Amino acid sequence: MANLPGAKISLRHSRRGYRRAFTIIEVALASSIMAMGIATSITVLQRGFAMIDTARNVTTGGQIMVSQMEQIRMLDWATVSSYYTAPGPTTATLTIDSVFSGNSSVGNRFAMTRSVSSPSTNMLQITLTLAWTAYDGRTLSRTMTIYYARYGIHDYVYNGS
């Protein structure tokens, strides 16, 4: 039978039909490694977006507080001293300027409070606190403090009045 042409063909055919392939274990291992890589990259993207949101809000919050501080700085002593009622610090909730609150990304996410105390008779300590909720639900805040002197900061420091 070895001389039959059909036998040789079937023998050759069986040798050619045998090919090396991946086993189910190798495929499962490769799939699990790929799934871990994709899951890790999704987590990294989420944390990256959270950091970008935080950085954007910190910058916007700083601009809001500097704007409010500059508005206070331009006021006279009588107006600024009316913010303080002794004893202890006086706290008030402020309205954020429409330049900022008109922006859809700012909207009503930010809340600002002003705390005023008097370390001496001719000086006020004004602290602004801005709080907001990040898109992932965390509550964040920033604080800025200035001193407002009755006769101007330089006159107060140099003359000691």
Side-chain angles (χ1 to χ4, degrees):
M1 275 183 113
N3 292 335
L4 293 175
K8 288 183 181 180
I9 292 173
S10 69
L11 184 57
R12 278 191 219 160
H13 181 64
S14 66
R15 284 185 184 165
R16 284 186 184 170
Y18 178 73
R19 294 188 180 161
R20 180 113 174 118
F22 293 110
T23 64
I24 191 72
I25 294 172
E26 292 171 328
V27 171
L29 183 62
S31 298
S32 64
I33 290 172
M34 188 173 75
M36 285 177 34
I38 291 171
T40 303
S41 65
I42 289 172
T43 304
V44 168
L45 283 172
Q46 287 175 336
R47 293 301 305 154
F49 287 139
M51 293 298 168
I52 288 171
D53 181 62
T54 300
R56 183 180 301 124
N57 290 330
V58 166
T59 301
T60 303
Q63 292 170 343
I64 292 170
M65 289 190 296
V66 166
S67 173
Q68 183 65 37
M69 287 292 186
E70 288 299 316
Q71 289 175 12
I72 292 171
R73 188 178 69 83
M74 301 306 288
L75 298 173
D76 61 355
W77 174 256
T79 305
V80 176
S81 63
S82 69
Y83 295 159
Y84 177 69
T85 56
T90 304
T91 304
T93 302
L94 301 177
T95 303
I96 296 174
D97 194 350
S98 63
V99 171
F100 299 104
S101 61
N103 185 343
S104 62
S105 66
V106 175
N108 295 324
R109 290 178 61 188
F110 292 87
M112 185 166 41
T113 58
R114 176 186 63 218
S115 177
V116 181
S117 61
S118 182
S120 68
T121 56
N122 291 321
M123 184 177 284
L124 296 174
Q125 177 182 350
I126 302 170
T127 302
L128 293 179
T129 302
L130 191 73
W132 68 92
T133 303
Y135 85 96
D136 58 356
R138 295 177 299 143
T139 301
L140 303 169
S141 67
R142 291 293 178 256
T143 305
M144 183 180 284
T145 301
I146 64 166
Y147 290 91
Y148 191 98
R150 182 174 191 163
Y151 301 109
I153 189 70
H154 299 295
D155 187 44
Y156 181 82
V157 171
Y158 293 122
N159 292 330
S161 55

